[in-house]
Amino acid sequence: MISKPLSEGLMNEKLAELAKWITRFSTSDGTYQTPFPALSLIRNSENAVPVYTVYEPSICLVAQGSKLVLLANETYRYGPSQYFAVSVDLPISGQVTDASSEHPYLAIRLQINPQQVLEFIEVTDYEGTAQDKSSRGLYVSCATTDMLDAFLRLVRLLETPNDLAVLAPLISREILYRALQDRQGNALRQMAPGAGYAALIAEVIRRIRESYNQPLRIDDLAREVGMSSSSLHRRFRDVTAMSPLQFQKQIRLQEARQMLLNEPVQAAEVAFRVGYESPSQFNREYARMFGKPPIGDIRQLKTHSLSGTTGKS
């Protein structure tokens, strides 16, 4: 049975309660890892600068505030009672767009894995699961009554650690089940091993991430996963909104940025470490992605960090 939409008043009441629980366990800005490894709480009290990261498969529900996410040239916005679902590792940027110290951005994120999806597919007859079609690896949707209630029950468990260990895995499975029932749920169903071409693309993504600093050989990747090169290109773009080469470039530049932030190294050295043969090409592509060359970008990030205005994921 599909749950009915909540009335606006009841929805606001439940969101306020969820915000209260998130606030209780996140006393300042940041991402809080809870005792249940798959569950994180997110809080941000200001409209932050864009944060570039690789999102792993997860479902993120917003209780308060709003956020803007960019994938390649695509824009996704989501706010209270909406959730953002990601089915494969994707390099994206996220920016909180509605937050203040009195009304911070509050969200709860639940990691999911392909094996969980496969278990549901094996016991449930999902209509419309097409192995020859590949959906974008993310989407924004509205939470149903049942999903919102499940998230509330999950975050309440943080107050009872003994219950958390036993019940949190069950509730997290319920949340995934509710997401799979969504009209856009095929984006999650396709991540199951053997579910179709998108599952093969997930394997290609894993291999690119593991060897991002090595030359990208599409023909070899295609052969290893049993696809033609043209099919791999087409399916990869269907799922990620970019080509394999563009995907690798974003991974390289994100990794380079973290190295420059956290290690005493020069940009030229980092360029070679992440796989560039030309530091000048690295500088150009870095500036194109982050808005400034490496030196200026890192100086700005460190200034923001010292002043407490660095964006949180």
Side-chain angles (χ1 to χ4, degrees):
M1 178 182 295
I2 298 176
S3 84
K4 296 179 180 180
L6 289 170
S7 67
E8 183 176 352
L10 186 55
M11 173 68 79
N12 291 337
E13 181 181 318
K14 288 183 176 292
L15 289 172
E17 183 181 357
L18 183 59
K20 179 191 71 174
W21 283 99
I22 295 174
T23 301
R24 179 176 299 183
F25 295 102
S26 58
T27 55
S28 60
D29 285 2
T31 298
Y32 289 78
Q33 181 64 57
T34 71
F36 180 53
L39 180 65
S40 300
L41 305 178
I42 304 165
R43 175 174 176 156
N44 202 307
S45 61
E46 61 186 355
N47 295 341
V49 298
V51 175
Y52 292 80
T53 188
V54 177
Y55 270 53
E56 297 179 344
S58 57
I59 298 170
C60 183
L61 176 72
V62 177
Q64 185 172 280
S66 61
K67 194 170 185 178
L68 171 70
V69 168
L70 299 178
L71 171 67
N73 295 320
E74 298 179 350
T75 300
Y76 298 82
R77 299 177 185 272
Y78 56 108
S81 81
Q82 292 181 305
Y83 68 93
F84 182 68
V86 182
S87 64
V88 296
D89 294 357
L90 291 174
I92 61 182
S93 66
Q95 182 175 11
V96 172
T97 57
D98 178 17
S100 66
S101 56
E102 297 79 17
H103 192 84
Y105 170 82
L106 299 170
I108 180 170
R109 183 170 62 215
L110 180 67
Q111 290 183 322
I112 56 179
N113 67 66
Q115 192 59 40
Q116 290 176 315
V117 177
L118 179 60
E119 291 171 3
F120 282 121
I121 289 177
E122 289 176 341
V123 300
T124 309
D125 181 19
Y126 286 108
E127 296 180 1
T129 302
Q131 295 196 13
D132 62 341
K133 295 182 179 180
S134 303
S135 301
R136 186 72 81 237
L138 58 81
Y139 66 89
V140 173
S141 192
C142 294
T144 62
T145 305
D146 293 328
M147 178 181 282
L148 187 53
D149 283 341
F151 267 112
L152 268 169
R153 283 185 276 115
L154 181 59
V155 74
R156 286 184 193 129
L157 287 176
L158 295 174
E159 200 166 54
T160 54
N162 291 336
D163 294 339
L164 181 73
V166 176
L167 298 179
L170 302 178
I171 299 176
S172 66
R173 284 172 58 83
E174 179 185 347
I175 291 170
L176 175 57
Y177 172 71
R178 302 300 179 189
L180 289 170
Q181 291 182 310
D182 188 273
R183 61 184 178 83
Q184 300 185 80
N186 189 57
L188 296 177
R189 293 193 288 274
Q190 69 182 359
M191 72 188 286
Y197 285 107
L200 298 178
I201 296 304
E203 174 61 19
V204 172
I205 288 173
R206 184 187 66 79
R207 297 186 184 203
I208 292 176
R209 288 199 68 187
E210 288 180 349
S211 56
Y212 69 89
N213 59 351
Q214 301 300 313
L216 187 60
R217 297 182 174 86
I218 297 296
D219 291 343
D220 291 345
L221 276 175
R223 185 171 53 255
E224 289 168 4
V225 296
M227 301 174 67
S228 68
S229 297
S230 60
S231 179
L232 188 152
H233 266 286
R234 185 174 69 257
R235 306 286 183 180
F236 197 95
R237 190 175 289 276
D238 287 342
V239 174
T240 69
M242 64 191 84
S243 70
L245 186 60
Q246 291 170 327
F247 184 95
Q248 182 198 51
K249 182 185 300 184
Q250 291 213 18
I251 297 296
R252 283 180 168 181
L253 292 172
Q254 287 196 23
E255 291 289 340
R257 200 186 204 198
Q258 289 304 309
M259 291 179 189
L260 289 167
L261 269 174
N262 300 319
E263 302 177 30
V265 290
Q266 299 297 315
E269 178 186 345
V270 168
F272 292 122
R273 284 172 60 179
V274 299
Y276 280 87
E277 296 181 357
S278 165
S280 60
Q281 180 186 5
F282 167 74
N283 288 340
R284 287 195 303 272
E285 294 187 352
Y286 188 104
R288 191 175 299 123
M289 181 167 174
F290 299 118
K292 293 179 181 290
I295 293 178
D297 177 57
I298 297 304
R299 182 184 297 121
Q300 183 180 57
L301 286 175
K302 290 183 176 179
T303 300
H304 284 157
S305 178
L306 289 173
S307 63
T309 59
T310 300
K312 304 295 183 181
S313 61

